[in-house]
Amino acid sequence: MKSSIKTIKYLAALSVVLLLVTYSISLNDENRWIVLNTPWLSKNFAFTIAGGSFASMLVVLACELQKYQSIKCQTEDFIFGQLFSLYLQVTIIHYNTKRQLNDKSSSVPSNLISENANKGKMCLANLNSIEYVTLYNNDAIKMQLIQYRGEVGTHILFFLQNTLFLKMAINEDKIALLKNGKDKAITSNAQLTHHTLNKIYCDSEAVLSYLEGSLGTINKECNNRYHWSDLKRSVISGEEALVSADLESYLKQPVIHFKKKEI
């Protein structure tokens, strides 16, 4: 985007120069400051050349502006997509810990949220690689991106990295049980595992709240291009349904059938 903006500024400056030249030739025709009617150059020819150059430059400038707008939209799509992917991963972490805290009998997998945390870190890395430079310094999306490259991104990265403490907590609880002569699965009732799950749940809630605000801001700046309210509603309703879901009710659900479309 930087090269496109430089080109736009150069073309805009050149257009202004050509406009002034064309206007000066027009004024010269009225005031006759300089007589251009020579065997090799006439005032009409000079005006035609200057005016034609100015008009051509406007066309080139319009094309470059269109190119810039296209690149800008594509970059905005990528930014929103990466933030939404990050939001999805943190949402899964949030609800996985919630389900595990509600289920006191099932064992807690050591890799419960590790894959989602890794995917979230990839989204943050992708955000850091984006070149998003606009014609206006106060662009709201640009401000959001700067925050994720700074303190906000650092906090979220720490949260994702710290999810590995769940595995450590499970191992510590296993060691404590073995020392007491017990060998059984670790559930969310285990002390360290319970506290770690609860901390991840609370931290993920704070991260989700911030991400929702950012996604809402970008969607607003893009005139509801991404229909963020509908996306959010769909994600939350799906995860909430999984919280209360059980195997028995799933097995009672009818088999999925698709209607064949006639061509």
Side-chain angles (χ1 to χ4, degrees):
M1 292 182 73
K2 287 182 179 179
S3 59
S4 182
I5 290 175
K6 286 181 179 179
T7 303
I8 289 172
K9 289 181 178 179
Y10 172 76
L11 292 175
L14 198 54
S15 297
V16 172
V17 171
L18 289 172
L19 174 62
L20 293 175
V21 171
T22 304
Y23 184 63
S24 298
I25 294 174
S26 176
L27 288 180
N28 183 69
D29 187 33
E30 297 293 333
N31 298 287
R32 297 183 178 277
W33 296 320
I34 302 174
V35 178
L36 294 176
N37 289 322
T38 66
W40 303 104
L41 180 64
S42 69
K43 59 183 181 181
N44 291 332
F45 179 77
F47 182 81
T48 301
I49 292 297
S53 299
F54 171 66
S56 300
M57 195 59 60
L58 286 181
V59 173
V60 176
L61 179 59
C63 291
E64 194 62 36
L65 284 170
Q66 180 63 36
K67 177 184 174 183
Y68 161 78
Q69 190 61 36
S70 177
I71 296 173
K72 184 172 180 287
C73 287
Q74 291 174 10
T75 308
E76 288 167 354
D77 291 346
F78 187 74
I79 293 172
F80 187 90
Q82 291 303 310
L83 278 178
F84 182 65
S85 296
L86 178 59
Y87 176 80
L88 281 177
Q89 299 309 318
V90 178
T91 299
I92 294 172
I93 291 172
H94 181 74
Y95 280 95
N96 276 355
T97 54
K98 182 178 181 179
R99 283 187 285 269
Q100 207 66 57
L101 286 167
N102 291 341
D103 187 354
K104 305 296 182 181
S105 58
S106 299
S107 61
V108 181
S110 59
N111 62 343
L112 176 68
I113 54 178
S114 57
E115 184 178 353
N116 304 110
N118 289 332
K119 289 180 179 178
K121 286 185 277 188
M122 287 179 61
C123 293
L124 280 176
N126 290 335
L127 287 172
N128 285 328
S129 66
I130 296 173
E131 181 195 77
Y132 186 74
V133 183
T134 60
L135 289 169
Y136 308 102
N137 293 326
N138 60 343
D139 185 274
I141 299 177
K142 182 179 178 181
M143 295 298 104
Q144 289 291 329
L145 189 59
I146 290 173
Q147 290 177 357
Y148 282 95
R149 287 174 173 171
E151 187 177 358
V152 171
T154 301
H155 286 319
I156 296 177
L157 181 60
F158 282 163
F159 160 73
L160 295 171
Q161 290 174 337
N162 289 338
T163 55
L164 61 84
F165 284 108
L166 177 60
K167 185 176 183 179
M168 295 174 61
I170 293 171
N171 290 335
E172 290 289 336
D173 284 330
K174 281 183 180 179
I175 293 172
L177 286 175
L178 290 173
K179 286 182 178 179
N180 292 326
K182 299 177 182 179
D183 185 13
K184 61 180 183 178
I186 301 299
T187 67
S188 59
N189 284 324
Q191 184 179 11
L192 289 176
T193 301
H194 177 82
H195 289 322
T196 306
L197 282 170
N198 191 62
K199 177 167 177 52
I200 292 172
Y201 175 78
C202 294
D203 287 345
S204 63
E205 194 167 33
V207 173
L208 285 176
S209 178
Y210 195 91
L211 286 170
E212 287 173 0
S214 296
L215 288 164
T217 298
I218 295 173
N219 184 66
K220 182 180 178 182
E221 290 296 312
C222 295
N223 299 316
N224 198 31
R225 188 195 308 165
Y226 309 107
H227 304 285
W228 164 237
S229 297
D230 296 335
L231 279 175
K232 177 184 173 183
R233 191 181 304 111
S234 176
V235 171
I236 298 301
S237 61
E239 289 294 333
E240 287 287 354
L242 287 174
V243 169
S244 58
D246 59 78
L247 179 61
E248 185 178 352
S249 62
Y250 168 72
L251 294 175
K252 291 180 180 178
Q253 293 178 8
V255 177
I256 296 175
H257 291 287
F258 293 97
K259 292 182 179 180
K260 293 184 178 179
K261 293 183 178 180
E262 295 183 1
I263 300 176

